[in-house]
Amino acid sequence: MIELTDLAQSDHPHFAKDLFESAFPDEERPPFTELKKRDTDKFHFLVATLDDGEQPIGILTYWDFDEMVYIEHFAIDEELRNQGLGKVVFLNFISQQKKQIVLEVERPHDETSEHRIEFYASMGLYQNPQEYIQPPYKKGKKTVPMIIMSKYELDDEEFDEIRQILYREVYNCTPGDVK
């Protein structure tokens, strides 16, 4: 059985840090040490495990806002990918959420990014057509063109509201700051 445990209660903090830093490019993640400074009423870092918590298999970070649940990072250990574990973990998590689900994915530019979009689409997430730029996590870093995927299709007004929430709460900026 797969369990999702808060990082603070997990027996696998080193696994979580290593996977977080290896699975996401530097420009697509904040420094791991910065995560402890986030508002823990909204931000959550979960470790996915098998065998009653003995075997760590992945991580999922998310923000719980009034309007939506924003999945910021999701990864399965590279050695365990393509075995269906990611799908089980992800579906387990989203089935517990009653709100809109939102996440960012890289625009398709190679086989991996195309596979990632297909993975989320196979679980019912919608690829929204509006232009979206991920602000930099660190000063001096570049913005990253992304796609917003969601549980329900977003109209332009909903998309703008979600972008404003993400920019303000996650990236500490405003849409006018992002170029």
Side-chain angles (χ1 to χ4, degrees), residues 48 51 57 59 62 64 115 125 132 152 175-176:
D51 303 325
I57 61 169
I59 58 169
Y62 73 99
D64 190 354
H115 175 72
L125 295 185
Y132 179 79
Y152 310 112

Side-chain angles (χ1 to χ4, degrees), residues 3-20:
E3 295 177 12
L4 292 170
T5 306
D6 189 272
L7 178 62
Q9 280 77 51
S10 171
D11 293 332
H12 308 286
H14 296 295
F15 166 85
K17 180 182 186 293
D18 290 346
L19 182 56
F20 181 76

Side-chain angles (χ1 to χ4, degrees), residues 58-119:
I59 58 169
L60 188 147
T61 69
Y62 73 99
W63 294 78
D64 190 354
F65 298 113
D66 291 338
E67 305 81 357
M68 66 174 163
V69 171
Y70 165 61
I71 299 172
E72 187 173 15
H73 296 96
F74 175 61
I76 297 295
D77 186 344
E78 190 170 10
E79 294 178 17
L80 300 172
R81 291 181 190 155
N82 300 312
Q83 297 178 30
L85 294 172
K87 188 170 192 166
V88 173
V89 171
F90 195 81
L91 287 174
N92 178 20
F93 177 78
I94 66 170
S95 71
Q96 298 173 33
Q97 309 306 316
K98 304 299 181 227
K99 302 175 190 175
Q100 170 72 287
I101 302 287
V102 174
L103 56 84
E104 303 165 338
V105 294
E106 288 179 90
R107 291 183 183 168
H109 59 84
D110 62 13
E111 191 174 316
T112 301
S113 59
E114 290 170 5
H115 175 72
R116 191 172 294 119
I117 291 169
E118 290 169 8
F119 172 80

